[in-house]
Amino acid sequence: MNERMKTWSLCAMIVSGFMAGQATAADQQDVTATQPEKSEKMSPLSGTPVNSAISGGGIVPKGMLLTALNFSYRDKDDIVDDAGRGARTSQQELYLLKLRYGMTDRFELLFVPGYINNHRDAYFNQQSDRVDGPTDFIFGGTYTPLSQRLGDPISLGLNLSVGMPTGQDGSKYLPGGDVWSYCAKIGITKVWHPKHRVDWDLGFSQPTETGNQGVRKDTVVTMTGSYHYVFNPNFDVGLEFTVENSKDWERNGVSMRNEYTEVYVGPTMNFCLPKWNMWLGAGVFVPVMRDYDIPTASDDIRIELKLGKVWSW
């Protein structure tokens, strides 16, 4: 069985097993409609975005820790804007561990270490291979001038963070990594209990130096959104999207003319265990718009899994 089939089988077994356990529990839950009000507790986990790029406007309450392990499988098997030149295809597995701690009622710290596996297919005289290693870790903070948990009509989050040069370095690794960068993001979350939740983010990332293989990446602007319908405290379904644009990179001071814009959309769902403050999210994303200036091996599918837990003492 090849690597792609192993990954699909793993995802299917995890989601199927969790759905079976939740089906029985869901029948025992009664949902009562309430309006958001001031509360010192964590808002319900139902409706949480699955896409690892979406944070929304909410933060973790003071003194609580949220841990979320995100897994993303990306099959870069579709060559877009080929122009007869081709591109190297691959399968990518990305692991991110999000650690969020509430310092005050309106401010949290964020730390995101990551790890990436790349299974690269044969390309011209290059044999297939596998390269893996850490990503550039992220450290930052989010301030919420508006918080629905504290009685405001919406939650508004303002995030500033830095990327650290912890990524892969060497000729066989992906270009442009292992650099300092800075990021800014604005996020909004609105919950209509108990059925509806909307999350939205708009942000950018800007590398500050030349990275691996002499490549200097440029500004990446990302907009993400999520709507979830909550059937009961144990189960919800949603629709999420990601829009990403990157400006041209440079290699040794020369433009690579590789600006791109991508839009991915897909269904998601969450299975929650409120008793333990845990949830499992799953989603599948497909491209609806891809525009590349050079031939590019692009994701024809993205599979996302998220396992999260809120810790309190």
Side-chain angles (χ1 to χ4, degrees):
M1 183 181 293
N2 60 30
E3 293 293 336
R4 189 184 308 179
M5 290 301 298
K6 290 180 181 179
T7 302
W8 275 90
S9 299
L10 174 63
C11 296
M13 286 189 292
I14 293 175
V15 174
S16 298
F18 215 97
M19 288 181 66
Q22 291 304 305
T24 301
D27 292 338
Q28 302 173 355
Q29 297 292 334
D30 293 324
V31 180
T32 57
T34 59
Q35 293 299 320
E37 59 184 13
K38 184 175 181 179
S39 170
E40 298 302 322
K41 298 181 179 180
M42 185 75 179
S43 58
L45 300 174
S46 300
T48 304
V50 174
N51 188 340
S52 59
I54 306 177
S55 298
I59 64 171
V60 181
K62 179 181 179 181
M64 301 181 72
L65 172 69
L66 184 152
T67 60
L69 178 61
N70 296 267
F71 167 77
S72 179
Y73 171 75
R74 303 183 176 189
D75 187 6
K76 297 181 180 295
D77 198 39
D78 193 4
I79 301 177
V80 182
D81 296 329
D82 188 4
R85 289 185 289 169
R88 191 172 190 178
T89 58
S90 65
Q91 295 78 45
Q92 188 179 88
E93 298 161 3
L94 176 64
Y95 302 85
L96 296 175
L97 177 61
K98 284 190 174 183
L99 303 173
R100 298 168 57 183
Y101 181 75
M103 298 293 292
T104 72
D105 286 334
R106 295 192 181 275
F107 181 76
E108 73 171 20
L109 289 178
L110 169 71
F111 179 57
V112 186
Y115 195 87
I116 189 170
N117 286 324
N118 286 290
H119 311 263
R120 302 188 298 187
D121 300 325
Y123 182 65
F124 289 109
N125 61 343
Q126 298 173 311
Q127 297 182 347
S128 61
D129 60 10
R130 177 188 300 201
V131 294
D132 60 283
T135 64
D136 288 347
F137 295 176
I138 301 295
F139 179 76
T142 301
Y143 171 67
T144 55
L146 299 175
S147 173
Q148 196 169 0
R149 177 174 54 84
L150 299 178
D152 296 315
I154 64 170
S155 295
L156 173 66
L158 307 175
N159 173 270
L160 291 175
S161 57
V162 295
M164 297 177 284
T166 56
Q168 303 164 336
D169 183 25
S171 60
K172 68 177 182 178
Y173 294 112
L174 296 177
D178 193 38
V179 297
W180 287 99
S181 60
Y182 61 89
C183 315
K185 181 185 292 186
I186 179 172
I188 295 174
T189 295
K190 174 66 177 178
V191 178
W192 294 272
H193 291 307
K195 296 293 186 182
H196 310 281
R197 172 169 171 161
V198 173
D199 294 87
W200 176 87
D201 280 343
L202 178 64
F204 74 92
S205 175
Q206 178 65 59
T208 63
E209 56 187 336
T210 299
N212 189 39
Q213 295 190 33
V215 172
R216 184 186 182 102
K217 294 184 177 181
D218 207 329
T219 307
V220 176
V221 178
T222 305
M223 182 173 66
T224 56
S226 167
Y227 167 75
H228 278 253
Y229 182 84
V230 180
F231 287 93
N232 58 58
N234 293 326
F235 178 69
D236 63 77
V237 297
L239 184 68
E240 303 183 17
F241 72 87
T242 299
V243 181
E244 182 173 293
N245 172 263
S246 173
K247 302 302 181 184
D248 292 333
W249 301 358
E250 291 184 353
R251 186 189 296 272
N252 300 321
V254 179
S255 174
M256 297 175 64
R257 301 183 183 276
N258 61 343
E259 181 174 355
Y260 69 83
T261 301
E262 300 175 329
V263 181
Y264 282 80
V265 177
T268 59
M269 61 184 70
N270 285 297
F271 310 94
C272 299
L273 292 171
K275 182 177 180 180
W276 292 286
N277 279 340
M278 293 183 65
W279 78 98
L280 174 70
V284 177
F285 298 87
V286 295
V288 296
M289 195 276 281
R290 290 176 291 183
D291 181 25
Y292 304 102
D293 286 352
I294 61 173
T296 301
S298 179
D299 308 334
D300 54 7
I301 191 170
R302 296 178 179 177
I303 300 173
E304 302 269 351
L305 295 176
K306 176 186 286 187
L307 179 63
K309 178 174 174 58
V310 177
W311 306 81
S312 59
W313 296 269

